[in-house]
Amino acid sequence: YRDLHTFELQVPTRLIEWARGSRVCVAGYGQSDGNEILQLIPPPTLLTKETQGLCPERDFKVECGGFSERPVYSLKYVPDTSLLVTSGPPDSSLQVWQVSAEDSDVIKSVSPIATENGTGQCWAKIATISARAPWVLHGSRLDRVQITEVESRKNVYTAASGGSEELSGLAFLDCNTLLLCCTTGQLCLADIRQPQNLVEAMSMPSAPCSEQWCMGTRHGAQGLEPSSQPVARLSSRGLLTLTDLRKTSEFLALAKARVPSLGSGAEFLCVSWAPALEGCLAISGFDGTVHVYDTQSWDSSGREAEPIFVHKGHAFGGVGGSGDPPVVTVHTWHLQKPRTLLSAASDGSLHVWDWVQPCGKC
């Protein structure tokens, strides 16, 4: 490691979100009432683009917080605002939160965003954007995807019905284009200017019906078409596929990660592209580790890939409250520091780490 910071949260968290001023937002996912939502100030070494020397302050600090009456399974900061949007059981409704001003340390709940026929539906996956206005893209199933203006609660877009498959993720590719991923691995493209069209981007290779998938999208450099950025998909067996949305008839690459198979259990499955490293991605959710891969040498053979770094800090943190070894629940990349990641685990541990660059690697 080049650097490693640890912070112990009061409850396990399954999400990490960057907010204004390089703040970090986390939230608890326990089943009981009183799940914390916290905005943390990172250690000073993470607030500068340049690598600093020794620094006396190495911990996160709680800047403000609040409590959710329901488990928080997804949390997104709404760009250019002081709002957060969360979702979680027992239905597909959204909760909106106001991060208070500097003279207060409270994150306040404001009126929720109800969804049509949301009762009995699984929790909604969410994405946010502020290209035209503060929007939230949300849905639990393929036939229940919509865009809502956060402040006015106005429905901006409802996707055409394309089946009732459960969603594992969704994303804005730009202000007009959406990408949806089903738990079966199916990708669908949607254009808000053509609400009746929902295009299946690509089917998956033959796989067991119990296999679950998630996706990771990469935001390209300014001026680069979003569709030219490859989409990564990760299965609960550790299979990784890279897809160019401009040419969906074949895979860009296919590889097998060196991780234990989850079978049908894919609660914490996560894959993400490095924003400042060409061709690098990270995966987690299989055990107490985070694997980083350089995909630039991958082909369509599907052979096992060798990680360039494995973070094992959570695995050595002891057992959680359930007596089971900790499992990494989520990870995310630092927005400016190329090899810096944040990861959280089921035992409440939050790690920030930066690995030494291997010679000849990303």
Side-chain angles (χ1 to χ4, degrees):
Y1 292 96
R2 186 187 301 275
D3 206 357
L4 173 65
H5 303 267
T6 65
F7 184 77
E8 296 301 320
L9 301 168
Q10 294 300 311
V11 293
T13 179
R14 60 181 293 160
L15 43 94
I16 305 170
E17 174 76 356
W18 289 102
R20 293 185 303 173
S22 294
R23 275 21 180 195
V24 176
C25 292
V26 298
Y29 65 88
Q31 296 301 319
S32 59
D33 292 345
N35 294 281
E36 284 187 305
I37 298 178
L38 303 176
Q39 182 165 287
L40 307 176
I41 302 176
T45 54
L46 291 183
L47 297 178
T48 59
K49 293 185 179 180
E50 296 79 17
T51 301
Q52 293 183 334
L54 293 176
C55 182
E57 294 291 339
R58 296 184 57 83
D59 288 333
F60 285 84
K61 292 184 177 180
V62 177
E63 184 174 35
C64 54
F67 289 93
S68 172
E69 295 180 354
R70 60 171 68 198
V72 181
Y73 277 28
S74 185
L75 179 151
K76 292 294 180 182
Y77 164 65
V78 183
D80 304 323
T81 73
S82 58
L83 299 175
L84 302 171
V85 180
T86 65
S87 65
D91 54 41
S92 62
S93 64
L94 308 181
Q95 287 68 52
V96 182
W97 303 83
Q98 175 74 53
V99 179
S100 300
E102 295 181 359
D103 58 348
S104 174
D105 60 358
V106 178
I107 297 178
K108 299 179 180 178
S109 174
V110 297
S111 58
I113 298 176
T115 54
E116 184 179 355
N117 299 324
T119 303
Q121 296 294 318
C122 54
W123 60 280
K125 283 64 178 179
I126 55 178
T128 55
I129 195 172
S130 287
R132 300 174 181 171
W135 286 356
V136 56
L137 169 66
H138 55 102
S140 59
R141 297 188 178 277
L142 198 55
D143 57 353
R144 299 182 184 276
V145 175
Q146 61 188 75
I147 296 175
T148 302
E149 191 172 296
V150 177
E151 294 172 329
S152 68
R153 304 299 193 272
K154 177 184 176 182
N155 177 266
V156 176
Y157 165 83
T158 300
S161 177
S164 59
E165 291 87 348
E166 184 179 347
L167 293 172
S168 63
L170 35 71
F172 284 100
L173 296 181
D174 56 33
C175 61
N176 293 315
T177 314
L178 318 174
L179 183 64
L180 318 174
C181 182
C182 301
T183 56
T184 58
Q186 176 187 1
L187 287 179
C188 291
L189 282 167
D191 191 319
I192 66 173
R193 296 164 296 188
Q194 301 173 357
Q196 298 306 313
N197 293 337
L198 188 64
V199 182
E200 180 180 346
M202 189 171 187
S203 299
M204 295 306 302
S206 57
C209 295
S210 61
E211 194 166 0
Q212 306 244 344
W213 293 80
C214 69
M215 75 168 179
T217 57
R218 183 182 178 191
H219 300 287
Q222 186 174 5
L224 197 61
E225 285 293 329
S227 60
S228 68
Q229 301 303 299
V231 176
R233 279 174 286 183
L234 172 66
S235 83
S236 52
R237 288 192 300 131
L239 186 65
L240 280 155
T241 71
L242 306 184
T243 303
D244 187 337
L245 295 178
R246 299 169 301 178
K247 188 178 180 181
T248 60
S249 59
E250 59 187 41
F251 293 113
L252 280 177
L254 190 64
K256 179 71 169 64
R258 189 180 298 175
V259 292
S261 175
L262 291 177
S264 60
E267 183 180 7
F268 303 124
L269 212 57
C270 182
V271 56
S272 64
W273 285 103
L277 287 177
E278 183 66 30
C280 280
L281 58 75
I283 66 170
S284 63
F286 295 86
D287 51 21
T289 65
V290 182
H291 289 216
V292 180
Y293 292 92
D294 181 359
T295 69
Q296 295 181 89
S297 62
W298 288 7
D299 54 30
S300 58
S301 65
R303 64 172 179 258
E304 186 174 88
E306 181 76 23
I308 60 173
F309 188 78
V310 179
H311 174 58
K312 301 179 180 179
H314 297 286
F316 298 127
V319 298
S322 64
D324 298 323
V327 176
V328 174
T329 54
V330 70
H331 72 266
T332 189
W333 295 80
H334 194 282
L335 300 179
Q336 287 87 32
K337 294 178 177 291
R339 291 182 304 279
T340 299
L341 290 92
L342 290 79
S343 54
S346 55
D347 61 353
S349 59
L350 175 64
H351 290 184
V352 184
W353 40 280
D354 187 341
W355 79 93
V356 177
Q357 180 177 1
C359 181
K361 299 288 186 180
C362 63

